[in-house]
Amino acid sequence: MNELIQKLVEAYGPSGFEDNVRHLIRAEIEPFADEIRVDALGNLIARKKGSGEGLKVMVAAHMDEIGVMATHITKEGFVRFINIGGVLAHTLLGNRIEFDNGVIGIVYCDKIEDRNQVHPLNKHFLDVGASSREDCPISVGTAGVFQRNFLAQGDHLTAKSMDDRIGCVVAIETLKRLEDTPHDLYFVFSVQEEVGTRGALTAANHLLPDVGIALDVTLTGDLPEARPMAVSLGQGPAIKVKDSGMIAHAGLVQIMRRRAEDAGLPFQMEVLDGGTTDARSMQVAGPGCAAGCISIPCRYVHSQSETVSAQDVENSIKLLTAVLSQPIDL
Amino acid sequence: MNELLKQLTEAVGVSGDEKEIRRLIRDLIADQVAEWRVDALGNLIARKPGTGESSLRVLVDAHMDEVGLMITDVDSNGTLQFETVGGFDDRALLGKVVQVGPKKLPGVIGARPVHLLKPNQRREIVKVEAMRIDIGAKNKDEAAGKVKIGDRAAFVTDYEELADTAVGKAFDNRAGCAALIELLRSEPYPFDLYASFTVQEEVGLRGAQVVAYDIAPDAALILECTPAYDLPNEKDVSPNVALGRGPSIYVMDAGTIQDPRLVSHITRTAAAEQIPFQIRQPGGGGTNTAAIQKTGPGVPAATIAVPGRYAHTPTMMISLTDYHNVVKLADAALRRLTPDLLQH
């Protein structure tokens, strides 16, 4: 599975420009889906038909990752940029940005007056090896992502875009492993989550599911001096109860919990202070649906080294498989 | 003199009260379209039949509302309290002439003359809550007889042309409306073209949302007027877009990432037709595209804008060449739009 993870996390796919990731995922799931299509905004939607007794279930994992977009080229050929999604200025100095034309930009910032202060994003720039505006290989409006290789070390898996390619992996593996399901399943690999859960909204508007389950990463409280949070790496998938954008359907939460207990899977209950997922959009799309989220605990979210536990990933796949292969009695 | 721009910018249509501008546009387009109607929110929606070559449903949108003021109360001395409708810098308001209510009563946003300002007051920014509109009424009763709470007030700026520069109010977004009217007057497109002149953009893209739901188009093009920021600047920072450098094409703003296929279609069209264009600096701001793109099952959408200086003040400036090039680019991009372009 690490091979699949590496392929997906190293792919280029900032919000709005998910084509490369979509091609990779499509090739991966094509043999396992009964129908597959791409909608107007670029969501990849794979259907797996059920036996007919169940519900219409939408499972969403987002393909996009955070990134940057060029806003200005200085006359010396440096590139100023703006964030796509929640890019943290703390993570940037000396890092590298990759554009889809292969150009690499080195991130640095304006004069540092105070080492304890971090400049805002607009005082950072990229050095793409140009010496003037004319020979700069990047133009205003070009999007880029962090460049960083995949790392597997012990149980830890680290990459630039675990958020949310690891959710995509959980969806892909579940689709592959699911044998029988009573439900009409729609696996949606969504676009533009990082800029406002936009893709999941339009997909859900179209599908009008009974149940929506997002697969996404969540924060952990297990780091030195961390903000308290009862989710730790390696302690199992987190069943989301609430985040800043959604309160999960209580019945769905109970079912997830029961399936984990029945299967003897470790799990954690998640209350996330800050952030939300595609479940928010699914919940309120059209006439609304019962929405919830299985979260993969992740350290260093929105940095170049987002880190998850391989065991948590495996157990997330098992939990989702258990939920989808049995009736969902709300 | 561009009569279309003159008529459209001099008409009044503050968000939520777009009757005057809607009637004007309706009269201007009625002969050019197969059908038109006004929906529940007041959007004017028209259909221009195509040649039948293509089955695409294409929506072209321009919001017809403008920023302005709303009367909220009358003081005992007859001056009018007001709130802003849409986004304003309070500093742009003092001392400006306005037209109040359907009868267009002339009024002035009063300002304390400099003679009467203490030194520390000269440095203060007067907040909108402290401003009043003076319509020359002697007392509350006289004012209340002429003005109703909830009446809108709009700026008063005559349209003028200074060589290539047009001066007037509300180019945001009457420039877009004018461009859309010109598209409706042109030869039929390969597909039916749905035109929407939408309400309440300036207060939250409200009209466009219901139009997109109603029409459910396969693709949408939004025509706008975007702030030019090309004033002298010592630092090497982006001019955003500049007057006279051509239509401004959006890639990303606070509410959208524009459909990359349509963006490159538009830039390719511009190159092929030798129309100058500028990529608008990605970042803040928002247009109806944000609402349309996310409606229903989603709509591929892109935005072309006329650069305009001094947006959301009583007086704006645009380049007439930019305006004509927006019409030309929108027209050419629509004629070249084929269904395969929208395949993933």
Side-chain angles (χ1 to χ4, degrees):
Chain A
M1 197 160 59
N2 276 7
E3 204 178 315
L4 172 63
I5 297 173
Q6 176 160 14
K7 191 161 63 174
L8 292 186
V9 295
E10 290 183 355
Y12 168 95
S15 308
F17 305 88
E18 298 89 353
D19 299 21
N20 292 354
V21 183
R22 186 172 54 242
H23 293 319
L24 291 173
I25 294 177
R26 184 171 189 148
E28 199 69 35
I29 61 174
E30 200 113 49
F32 302 93
D34 294 317
E35 290 167 19
I36 198 158
R37 67 188 185 85
V38 180
D39 76 4
L41 258 62
N43 296 303
L44 174 66
I45 303 175
R47 181 179 181 193
K48 184 174 175 64
K49 290 180 186 165
S51 58
E53 304 102 62
L55 301 175
K56 187 192 268 193
V57 181
M58 170 172 164
V59 176
H62 67 88
M63 298 187 286
D64 62 313
E65 66 191 295
I66 58 169
V68 302
M69 185 178 278
T71 56
H72 177 60
I73 316 299
T74 71
K75 57 181 188 301
E76 298 85 6
F78 293 101
V79 179
R80 296 282 187 182
F81 60 90
I82 194 171
N83 58 306
I84 300 176
V87 174
L88 304 167
H90 308 72
T91 63
L92 292 179
L93 286 196
N95 265 296
R96 297 176 190 185
I97 296 290
E98 179 182 10
F99 291 92
D100 75 342
N101 59 0
V103 171
I104 302 292
I106 291 136
V107 192
Y108 213 71
C109 67
D110 297 359
K111 187 169 66 175
I112 299 170
E113 306 272 8
D114 177 353
R115 292 187 182 201
N116 296 314
Q117 292 287 321
V118 178
H119 278 310
L121 281 185
N122 63 5
K123 289 186 181 296
H124 288 72
F125 56 80
L126 303 174
D127 185 338
V128 291
S131 56
S132 71
R133 191 173 286 156
E134 289 65 39
D135 76 358
C136 183
I138 297 301
S139 57
V140 170
T142 309
V145 296
F146 294 132
Q147 187 213 33
R148 190 59 70 93
N149 294 337
F150 174 64
L151 169 71
Q153 187 163 248
D155 181 51
H156 288 190
L157 308 174
T158 300
K160 67 171 171 65
S161 59
M162 276 307 170
D163 177 7
D164 184 30
R165 304 287 158 70
I166 202 66
C168 295
V169 168
V170 171
I172 293 166
E173 285 297 316
T174 303
L175 177 60
K176 286 181 180 174
R177 295 185 198 178
L178 250 184
E179 285 168 4
D180 294 310
T181 175
H183 309 295
D184 199 10
L185 299 180
Y186 292 85
F187 287 84
V188 175
F189 299 88
S190 61
V191 298
Q192 300 192 35
E193 191 272 351
E194 295 290 357
V195 290
T197 62
R198 294 176 194 156
L201 176 66
T202 59
N205 276 341
H206 177 72
L207 294 172
L208 303 177
D210 303 307
V211 174
I213 298 174
L215 306 171
D216 211 331
V217 300
T218 192
L219 308 182
T220 65
D222 59 356
L223 304 172
E225 303 288 323
R227 190 175 186 182
M229 182 174 175
V231 173
S232 301
L233 211 66
Q235 303 299 305
I239 297 171
K240 191 186 291 284
V241 180
K242 176 186 181 298
D243 63 25
S244 316
M246 182 206 62
I247 297 168
H249 185 279
L252 185 58
V253 170
Q254 278 311 313
I255 286 166
M256 288 179 179
R257 190 183 180 129
R258 208 175 310 138
R259 296 290 175 262
E261 286 167 351
D262 292 349
L265 297 170
F267 67 93
Q268 324 178 55
M269 301 309 286
E270 173 204 351
V271 177
L272 176 65
D273 184 11
T276 194
T277 71
D278 278 342
R280 172 196 173 88
S281 279
M282 290 191 276
Q283 188 171 51
V284 297
C289 76
C293 176
I294 295 175
S295 299
I296 301 103
C298 183
R299 291 178 180 169
Y300 326 121
V301 173
H302 286 201
S303 80
Q304 299 81 1
S305 297
E306 299 176 327
T307 298
V308 300
S309 145
Q311 284 202 39
D312 287 346
V313 176
E314 180 59 32
N315 285 323
S316 299
I317 298 164
K318 286 181 176 155
L319 174 55
L320 180 63
T321 307
V323 169
L324 297 180
S325 56
Q326 299 172 56
I328 297 174
D329 180 11
L330 297 168
Chain B
M1 181 77 81
N2 187 315
E3 281 302 319
L4 186 57
L5 284 171
K6 178 177 168 60
Q7 278 181 292
L8 290 170
T9 59
E10 290 183 358
V12 169
V14 177
S15 308
D17 187 14
E18 295 91 351
K19 190 193 276 180
E20 180 182 323
I21 182 67
R22 181 173 53 238
R23 285 189 171 170
L24 172 64
I25 296 173
R26 179 199 63 192
D27 292 346
L28 289 167
I29 66 167
D31 293 341
Q32 321 291 334
V33 298
E35 54 189 301
W36 63 265
R37 64 195 161 85
V38 177
D39 75 5
L41 261 65
N43 297 302
L44 174 61
I45 302 170
R47 184 174 65 87
K48 175 184 167 68
T51 59
E53 289 161 60
S54 164
S55 60
L56 283 178
R57 286 168 77 84
V58 179
L59 173 68
V60 183
D61 172 82
H63 73 86
M64 60 181 168
D65 63 316
E66 67 189 289
V67 295
L69 311 171
M70 184 188 280
I71 308 305
T72 56
D73 207 352
V74 183
D75 285 344
S76 57
N77 66 357
T79 58
L80 312 177
Q81 296 185 30
F82 62 92
E83 279 186 13
T84 52
V85 179
F88 275 101
D89 178 347
D90 293 354
R91 286 172 290 197
L93 292 172
L94 278 188
K96 302 302 190 300
V97 181
V98 293
Q99 41 189 327
V100 183
K103 292 188 191 128
K104 304 194 176 196
L105 290 177
V108 174
I109 303 174
R112 191 187 286 256
V114 67
H115 317 66
L116 304 181
L117 286 177
K118 299 193 177 96
N120 63 330
Q121 287 177 318
R122 291 191 189 192
R123 290 194 297 272
E124 280 172 11
I125 294 169
V126 180
K127 290 284 180 200
V128 69
E129 300 81 46
M131 297 179 196
R132 297 290 182 271
I133 295 172
D134 187 342
I135 53 167
K138 285 198 261 319
N139 53 43
K140 185 164 187 162
D141 286 346
E142 187 185 333
K146 295 175 175 171
V147 174
K148 288 198 302 294
I149 308 295
D151 277 354
R152 304 297 197 283
F155 297 118
V156 182
T157 310
D158 288 339
Y159 177 84
E160 288 179 73
E161 289 177 5
L162 310 163
D164 186 50
T165 303
V167 183
K169 79 164 172 69
F171 281 120
D172 175 10
N173 184 31
R174 303 295 156 67
C177 293
L180 179 48
I181 291 169
E182 293 209 38
L183 299 182
L184 292 175
R185 289 174 176 172
S186 66
E187 292 299 304
Y189 293 94
F191 37 76
D192 279 11
L193 188 142
Y194 290 85
S196 60
F197 299 89
T198 38
V199 298
Q200 301 192 37
E201 191 269 354
E202 297 291 0
V203 290
L205 323 181
R206 296 176 193 161
Q209 189 178 348
V210 301
V211 167
Y213 186 86
D214 181 357
I215 303 293
D218 298 311
L221 177 64
I222 288 73
L223 301 178
E224 259 287 3
C225 181
T226 196
Y229 182 56
D230 54 355
L231 307 175
N233 198 324
E234 285 170 15
K235 276 194 173 173
D236 185 7
V237 294
S238 171
N240 194 352
V241 291
L243 233 58
R245 291 199 200 155
S248 161
I249 298 168
Y250 280 62
V251 177
M252 180 173 86
D253 62 19
T256 61
I257 294 164
Q258 312 270 316
D259 192 284
R261 298 162 299 177
L262 289 177
V263 172
S264 58
H265 170 69
I266 292 166
T267 55
R268 278 198 310 269
T269 301
E273 302 278 336
Q274 295 186 308
I275 302 167
F277 68 91
Q278 34 190 344
I279 297 292
R280 178 185 181 274
Q281 188 177 38
T287 71
N288 275 342
T289 311
I292 292 169
Q293 192 176 42
K294 293 201 292 278
T295 301
V299 180
T303 317
I304 303 177
V306 181
R309 283 184 189 153
Y310 322 122
H312 291 210
T313 77
T315 310
M316 290 187 68
M317 282 185 174
I318 62 167
S319 148
L320 289 165
T321 306
D322 286 343
Y323 166 74
H324 291 303
N325 279 328
V326 164
V327 177
K328 217 169 131 184
L329 179 55
D331 180 72
L334 288 168
R335 293 193 190 284
R336 289 163 179 253
L337 185 63
T338 51
D340 59 299
L341 204 116
L342 298 171
Q343 297 303 313
H344 275 286

